[in-house]
Amino acid sequence: RPPDRTDDDGVDIVMDERGRYMPRWTKMELCPEKSSRARKFGTIKDDNWVRPPLEQCSMEDFMFDFMRFHHKQGRDWEIVWSAIDRVMIRTGKPMDCLHFYKQVCALGGFKNRNHAKQSFRIMNVFEQLFNYYDNHTLTDIGNRCLTVYEDFFLDYEIENEEDRSYGRCSLCYGGIYQGTKHMAGVLHTCISCEKFYHKHCQPMHRFASCINKGCFAGVPMMFVCNACVLTADKELTKLDEEMRLKSWEDSGTYYVRLYELVARRGRRYNASYQPPTRAVETRDAWQAPETWDTA
């Protein structure tokens, strides 16, 4: 269809089927190309870009794709983002959306509220987020997390069904849920043979040192399994080293980049903010007096 108008670069802009002007996403402050640090982790090059697999997806790539999805659904992506952040407003930190989504998908996906409540504890997911702190006062955080996922993440999960973790460990044959005969846990994927393994079913040195820490807590990681390493493939060894280095760099800068990301959309967080905490109950054990008055 003919263009409705042109942008500042003279590029044609058309309206979508909802009667809204389609934004040039790569020109928006949300795009990683707008930040030198984010550009190192983002893979976006143009408006036809497709998100990489979730295990290899950076925070910048995920948030770009996540907000683009909501825009296509007819929602204002900035309002969506603000609504998600409000869930964690008492923590004084922006919502760690990618880590939240990855953990749920690693547990087989949300699917629906009843399935989520029966399959895993949402509080365990919250406790591994950047937003968690000891003695927090978010007494209803479990329901809040379920609701925000149902309202904003579930449609995206359904659209990207391949993000859900399926399959069984190639060594112990256990899955993600506890069974009567098999081990359970998060399944990590070998980048060479594409087989799944639990962390405890591979030598620990096969994984990057940041596994199950920080932004990688409770989420799958790509690695090279022990069987593939024994093939002594030089290209595979090089790939393994590059992947470890990238994981380490991603983990080390993740939360700095998260703050930079929200700053690029005009949001600011007070670094000196002290979140409210509840008093810790202490009960001194009763002790009998040294002498009893028998008078």
Side-chain angles (χ1 to χ4, degrees):
R1 57 175 293 178
D4 300 286
R5 63 186 179 91
T6 58
D7 66 8
D8 294 338
D9 296 331
V11 178
D12 294 339
I13 297 180
V14 299
M15 298 178 71
D16 63 13
E17 65 277 5
R18 299 175 185 271
R20 301 169 305 150
Y21 286 110
M22 292 294 289
R24 289 189 64 199
W25 288 91
T26 51
K27 290 292 183 181
M28 299 176 73
E29 293 300 320
L30 174 63
C31 182
E33 288 296 307
K34 295 291 183 178
S35 165
S36 58
R37 193 198 304 267
R39 196 180 303 128
K40 183 175 182 179
F41 295 92
T43 61
I44 299 132
K45 299 301 180 184
D46 54 50
D47 288 326
N48 297 318
W49 168 86
V50 177
R51 197 208 77 187
L54 188 61
E55 293 88 347
Q56 304 173 37
C57 188
S58 69
M59 172 186 52
E60 290 81 4
D61 284 350
F62 174 77
M63 292 307 298
F64 185 93
D65 192 59
F66 186 55
M67 293 306 162
R68 185 173 62 172
F69 168 81
H70 281 291
H71 178 85
K72 290 179 179 179
Q73 298 301 308
R75 309 180 185 110
D76 186 315
W77 66 269
E78 290 199 271
I79 293 178
V80 168
W81 203 337
S82 295
I84 293 172
D85 273 353
R86 278 198 297 273
V87 174
M88 301 291 179
I89 193 169
R90 295 179 73 180
T91 71
K93 300 174 182 177
M95 176 72 165
D96 188 358
C97 294
L98 174 59
H99 195 186
F100 183 51
Y101 179 73
K102 271 188 170 182
Q103 284 192 78
V104 174
C105 288
L107 295 168
F110 192 88
K111 298 181 181 178
N112 59 65
R113 198 180 186 101
N114 287 334
H115 174 271
K117 292 172 73 173
Q118 293 172 8
S119 301
F120 56 86
R121 291 187 67 248
I122 196 69
M123 281 301 298
N124 291 346
V125 173
F126 169 64
E127 287 170 1
Q128 299 195 91
L129 291 180
F130 173 52
N131 306 92
Y132 176 80
Y133 62 95
D134 292 334
N135 301 320
H136 64 82
T137 59
L138 301 169
T139 54
D140 61 340
I141 191 60
N143 283 326
R144 284 191 181 197
C145 286
L146 289 170
T147 299
V148 75
Y149 197 97
E150 191 172 37
D151 290 347
F152 299 112
F153 291 83
L154 181 56
D155 288 344
Y156 183 80
E157 177 192 308
I158 293 172
E159 182 78 8
N160 298 275
E161 188 176 354
E162 67 279 3
D163 290 345
R164 295 170 178 165
S165 183
Y166 293 106
R168 294 185 175 277
C169 175
S170 295
L171 187 67
C172 74
Y173 303 107
I176 55 177
Y177 302 125
Q178 188 66 49
T180 55
K181 298 181 179 179
H182 303 291
M183 302 287 283
V186 173
L187 292 169
H188 306 278
T189 309
C190 174
I191 199 170
S192 176
C193 64
E194 298 185 350
K195 292 181 179 179
F196 301 120
Y197 291 96
H198 294 131
K199 182 184 72 172
H200 47 261
C201 292
Q202 285 285 301
M204 273 303 299
H205 66 270
R206 293 305 332 132
F207 298 95
S209 58
C210 54
I211 187 170
N212 212 31
K213 298 177 183 177
C215 63
F216 290 115
V219 303
M221 291 186 70
M222 303 294 290
F223 77 111
V224 179
C225 72
N226 205 44
C228 290
V229 168
L230 295 177
T231 62
D233 187 321
K234 292 183 178 180
E235 290 296 323
L236 189 58
T237 301
K238 182 180 178 181
L239 179 61
D240 184 27
E241 292 175 354
E242 291 175 351
M243 194 164 49
R244 287 169 181 269
L245 179 60
K246 185 176 181 180
S247 297
W248 183 82
E249 291 179 335
D250 188 8
S251 176
T253 61
Y254 183 89
Y255 299 117
V256 174
R257 287 159 36 224
L258 176 59
Y259 278 105
E260 287 182 349
L261 184 61
V262 296
R264 290 204 301 278
R265 53 183 270 260
R267 302 294 190 271
R268 295 292 185 273
Y269 284 84
N270 183 3
S272 62
Y273 173 80
Q274 295 295 322
T277 57
R278 64 179 184 273
V280 179
E281 294 184 5
T282 57
R283 298 182 180 179
D284 295 331
W286 180 84
Q287 295 180 350
E290 294 182 3
T291 59
W292 290 92
D293 184 3
T294 56

